[in-house]
């Protein structure tokens, strides 16, 4: 571990991670969009999830970018947008 961590911070991180794990494990992928979101959460890779579900990469990304109604969809969209912000804000 490179950062010093307090006991309270460690407990807080454990709670956050446990909540995230529960969200993913209990997520009902009953429609195609939810299946793509769940696959993304499990693999965290666009290429892997599109191969597993047989869809094009751009289609899968467009579904992730749409605002979701459930907690996991919102969380994944937020994480994806944060991760891709540098490439989206780059101007020539």
């Amino acid at each position: 571990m490179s950062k010093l961590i307090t006991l309270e911070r460690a407990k807080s991180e454990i709670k956050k991670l446990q909540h995230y794990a529960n969200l993913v494990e209990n997520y009902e992928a009953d429609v195609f969009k939810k299946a793509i979101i769940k696959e993304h959460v499990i693999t965290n890779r666009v290429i892997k999830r599109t191969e597993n579900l047989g869809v094009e990469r751009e289609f899968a990304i467009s579904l992730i970018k749409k605002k979701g109604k459930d907690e996991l969809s919102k969380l994944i969209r937020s994480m994806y947008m944060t991760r891709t912000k540098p490439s989206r804000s780059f101007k020539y």
Side-chain angles (χ1 to χ4, degrees):
M1 227 183 250
S2 62
K3 291 184 179 181
L4 296 175
I5 188 167
T6 64
L7 178 60
E8 285 301 313
R9 185 168 166 212
K11 287 180 179 181
S12 174
E13 288 297 314
I14 289 170
K15 280 184 182 179
K16 288 178 188 176
L17 292 171
Q18 188 60 50
H19 177 70
Y20 182 76
N22 288 337
L23 265 176
V24 173
E25 289 174 347
N26 298 322
Y27 194 69
E28 295 288 328
D30 54 354
V31 293
F32 192 63
K33 179 183 178 184
K34 288 184 175 185
I36 289 176
I37 297 220
K38 187 164 187 172
E39 193 70 25
H40 177 64
V41 170
I42 292 169
T43 63
N44 199 23
R45 291 184 58 207
V46 175
I47 294 170
K48 276 248 193 240
R49 80 169 167 265
T50 56
E51 286 174 358
N52 292 346
L53 297 173
V55 296
E56 291 184 20
R57 179 181 183 274
E58 290 76 22
F59 177 73
I61 290 172
S62 71
L63 288 179
I64 289 171
K65 285 182 178 180
K66 288 184 182 177
K67 292 188 179 195
K69 294 181 182 179
D70 57 79
E71 187 177 357
L72 189 60
S73 296
K74 290 176 184 177
L75 183 62
I76 292 305
R77 180 182 187 273
S78 173
M79 291 165 59
Y80 179 81
M81 297 304 268
T82 300
R83 190 180 81 223
T84 61
K85 186 177 181 177
S87 65
R88 288 182 289 118
S89 63
F90 181 75
K91 298 198 178 73
Y92 292 97

